[in-house]
């Protein structure tokens, strides 16, 4: 995966965290990220897709999470919640990105932004969500190849 996409994910997590905590409008947060040059080195289109896509699909994303988390989604640590929402958004919408890449990116985001050990929680939840959302992809990778 490209560093520009990784940087877009980092920015999306930060922006979604800010949105969750402040309740500010998406447009105001987006302007802040553009004016402060936070998106330097990030794939801006990918950032925009995730940053606007997560709130637009919040009910679907949170329902996918709720099935596998140990508490109400709103009670998950805000940093972890933003990371999980980005991962689930990609699992649902970015089928060209392998599920293992999405999980790995989520783990790395948790190591970068999250509390100590939070990457284990992120890994476990995204793995479970991917088993459901990407069942066909996972099965095709596990199927024995024909002789």
């Amino acid at each position: 995966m490209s560093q520009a996409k990784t940087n877009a994910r980092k920015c999306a997590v930060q922006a979604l965290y800010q949105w969750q905590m402040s309740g500010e409008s998406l447009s105001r947060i987006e302007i802040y990220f553009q004016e402060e040059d936070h998106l330097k080195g990030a794939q801006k289109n990918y950032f925009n897709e995730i940053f606007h896509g997560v709130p637009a699909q919040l009910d679907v994303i949170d329902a996918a999470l709720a099935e596998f988390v140990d508490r109400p989604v709103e009670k998950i640590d805000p940093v972890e919640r933003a990371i999980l929402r980005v991962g689930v958004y990609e699992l649902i919408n970015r089928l060209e990105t392998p599920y293992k890449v999405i999980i790995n990116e989520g783990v790395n985001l948790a190591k970068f932004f999250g509390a100590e050990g939070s990457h284990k929680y992120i890994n476990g939840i995204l793995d479970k969500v991917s088993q459901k959302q990407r069942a066909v992809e996972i099965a095709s990778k596990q199927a024995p190849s024909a002789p």
Side-chain angles (χ1 to χ4, degrees), residues 67-125:
E67 194 171 338
F68 301 106
V69 295
D70 56 350
R71 62 199 99 149
V73 173
E74 290 302 318
K75 298 287 184 186
I76 297 171
D77 173 83
V79 172
E80 292 174 0
R81 189 168 62 232
I83 294 167
L84 287 169
R85 285 173 169 168
V86 167
V88 173
Y89 174 85
E90 287 188 285
L91 286 169
I92 293 170
N93 295 287
R94 300 302 292 202
L95 300 180
E96 75 283 359
T97 305
Y99 74 97
K100 287 183 179 184
V101 170
I102 295 168
I103 294 171
N104 188 55
E105 289 283 314
V107 166
N108 289 336
L109 288 166
K111 287 178 179 178
F112 190 79
F113 290 119
E116 186 174 335
S118 67
H119 66 281
K120 296 172 189 173
Y121 182 72
I122 298 295
N123 183 61
I125 300 302

Side-chain angles (χ1 to χ4, degrees), residues 51-65:
F51 180 58
H52 291 282
V54 168
Q57 296 180 16
L58 198 58
D59 290 343
V60 171
I61 291 167
D62 284 358
L65 281 172

Side-chain angles (χ1 to χ4, degrees), residues 5-6 13 22 34 39 45 52 68 72 95 104 106 109 127 130 136 144-145:
K5 276 194 176 178
T6 295
V13 166
S22 70
Q34 290 171 350
L39 299 175
N45 289 342
H52 291 282
F68 301 106
L95 300 180
N104 188 55
L109 288 166
D127 184 57
S130 69
V136 172
S145 55

